[in-house]
Amino acid sequence: MIDGKKVLFSGMQATGTLTLGNYLGALKNWVTLSEEYECFYSVVDLHSITVRQEPAELRKRARNLLTLYLAAGLDPQKNCIYYQSHVSGHAELSWILNCFTYMGELNRMTQFKDKAAKHADNINAGLFTYPVLMAADILLYQTDMVPVGVDQMQHLEITRDIAQRFNAVYGDVFTIPEAYIGKSGAKIMSLQNPQKKMSKSDENPNASIYLMDEPDVILRKFKRAVTDSEGQILYREEQPGIRNLLDIYCACTGKSPEEAVKEFEGKGYGELKEAVGETVVSVLKPVQDEFARLSEDKSYLDSIIKENAQKANYYATKTLRKVQKKVGFPERIR
Ligand code: TRP
């Protein structure tokens, strides 16, 4: 609890170009959540170097992502928006938690298996202990809630296990975090293969809407979206392409699938695609404009980065000192 509010933590990696899926599935909800919770939203650059990065590129992307957090509407006075690498407590707590995590547990992580297969030439120890760093992120702020997608649920589970194990030895040190499953929980699928999640690393550029796509590009991609030959606009499993378009439409407008289906009754797929495309443009345009404006304002951004890192450090250090004391490190002489 901070100032009577529950604490919420989440982070994103600055790898790849963010998609509409990232926006509707996460960022947009983050803004809503920031009304109710004390939120920490991190650009998790320590996680990014578990796969090789070009340094200048990583720095640029990290700044763009942080700018995008703000452009999406997160108020940096109310939310703590910062780079993970600016708070050394993440790495320090991660080390300690490494000593409370079993090899066997980490071996079961499906994301590690996937990534190890994908980066067979660089299966480094950081990739293996990635979930421990994520646990440190979360536990460092005594987090109550973590909004995560299904792909990160296993990491949240291991975080809870580590926290409970630690607490069982040393008393109530960590808050045990819970998953926050958003009510709309929009899972946006690829426009080219609606069985697959929309991904920032898809080879097919028509599969994903990128947050910075120009309006005409967005409209064109929707025009090319894969549908089916049923010819009717219904919200059901047998029509994953149409359902995905309706999901996107609903996530943008706040309407329910039933309302959307009614609205498009008797209309053709072409009309649906156009309407969804235009809705997406109208949602992304203000974010894009604000991103452009903020990007120009270097001194403002820098001041946000500095102040928020200080705030994050304050809370992180509080937890870290407690943990260090519990495990038996010598007291600091001040
Ligand atoms: N691993 C998460 C992802 O790739 C990002 C992340 C890092 C995160 N630390 C976190 C998400 C803590 C939630 C909480 O999506």
Side-chain angles (χ1 to χ4, degrees):
M1 289 283 216
I2 296 177
D3 295 337
K5 280 185 174 173
K6 285 193 171 180
V7 176
L8 185 142
F9 184 99
S10 201
M12 268 190 220
Q13 287 202 49
T15 36
T17 322
L18 287 196
T19 68
L20 181 66
N22 300 117
Y23 180 71
L24 295 177
L27 256 185
K28 194 165 174 279
N29 290 336
W30 287 9
V31 179
T32 318
L33 291 168
S34 68
E35 300 292 322
E36 192 181 337
Y37 297 96
E38 182 75 29
C39 299
F40 292 83
Y41 293 126
S42 187
V43 172
V44 292
D45 45 2
L46 299 181
H47 280 103
S48 295
I49 63 163
T50 54
V51 302
R52 284 290 168 266
Q53 302 289 339
E54 210 280 295
E57 187 66 19
L58 176 60
R59 200 165 2 253
K60 194 174 96 200
R61 282 186 168 158
R63 189 164 174 109
N64 283 346
L65 182 56
L66 191 136
T67 308
L68 190 65
Y69 284 4
L70 302 176
L74 291 172
D75 179 345
Q77 312 304 335
K78 282 202 218 140
N79 303 277
C80 193
I81 291 165
Y82 72 100
Y83 297 121
Q84 186 188 28
S85 63
H86 283 189
V87 181
S88 59
H90 289 259
E92 293 180 69
L93 181 60
S94 181
W95 170 255
I96 296 173
L97 297 182
N98 265 319
C99 304
F100 291 83
T101 308
Y102 298 112
M103 301 284 285
E105 283 178 300
L106 292 174
N107 261 325
R108 285 197 292 274
M109 295 292 120
T110 55
Q111 190 174 76
F112 170 69
K113 290 182 209 169
D114 292 348
K115 286 196 179 170
K118 220 168 127 191
H119 304 278
D121 56 336
N122 181 22
I123 306 177
N124 61 73
L127 198 61
F128 189 60
T129 59
Y130 180 114
V132 184
L133 178 59
M134 191 162 150
D137 298 343
I138 295 167
L139 300 178
L140 203 47
Y141 300 95
Q142 305 292 353
T143 301
D144 296 284
M145 289 289 173
V146 185
V148 282
V150 274
D151 59 323
Q152 296 297 315
M153 272 308 276
Q154 204 183 20
H155 290 163
L156 186 62
E157 278 307 317
I158 197 176
T159 299
R160 290 165 55 89
D161 291 343
I162 295 169
Q164 272 154 354
R165 186 173 303 143
F166 193 95
N167 282 358
V169 180
Y170 300 105
D172 275 342
V173 178
F174 295 123
T175 302
I176 309 299
E178 275 170 43
Y180 180 94
I181 316 282
K183 44 181 175 353
S184 55
K187 187 176 177 196
I188 307 303
M189 312 304 278
S190 155
L191 295 185
Q192 292 298 312
N193 175 3
Q195 312 286 358
K196 230 175 63 180
K197 197 172 146 182
M198 185 181 283
S199 155
K200 24 187 186 182
S201 48
D202 207 302
E203 324 77 56
N204 184 345
N206 284 321
S208 311
I209 303 289
Y210 297 109
L211 287 192
M212 293 301 149
D213 277 350
E214 298 278 346
D216 59 321
V217 174
I218 295 175
L219 294 174
R220 196 179 62 229
K221 286 181 179 176
F222 275 106
K223 217 169 265 172
R224 292 185 185 161
V226 167
T227 51
D228 52 55
S229 52
E230 303 265 337
Q232 49 181 349
I233 299 171
L234 293 173
Y235 188 80
R236 52 189 194 133
E237 228 166 279
E238 294 81 0
Q239 295 179 260
I242 295 298
R243 192 174 60 168
N244 189 36
L245 291 175
L246 290 170
D247 275 335
I248 294 172
Y249 185 73
C250 291
C252 288
T253 56
K255 290 180 184 164
S256 69
E258 297 75 41
E259 287 172 309
V261 167
K262 197 169 271 164
E263 198 176 319
F264 291 107
E265 205 179 282
K267 299 217 165 110
Y269 287 180
E271 278 172 284
L272 173 68
K273 289 176 175 183
E274 203 177 303
V276 178
E278 273 161 14
T279 306
V280 168
V281 168
S282 70
V283 165
L284 292 188
K285 188 71 171 56
V287 179
Q288 295 174 346
D289 291 348
E290 182 63 1
F291 179 88
R293 193 187 69 78
L294 285 167
S295 300
E296 294 292 307
D297 201 345
K298 184 175 183 310
S299 63
Y300 171 73
L301 276 180
D302 286 346
S303 71
I304 296 299
I305 289 168
K306 188 175 163 194
E307 282 164 25
N308 280 261
Q310 279 168 351
K311 181 175 168 189
N313 260 301
Y314 169 80
Y315 290 106
T317 306
K318 246 166 88 165
T319 301
L320 188 63
R321 292 290 174 267
K322 201 162 154 190
V323 170
Q324 288 167 330
K325 190 172 168 194
K326 289 285 185 186
V327 298
F329 294 164
E331 206 180 311
R332 283 162 198 251
I333 316 295
R334 274 185 290 173

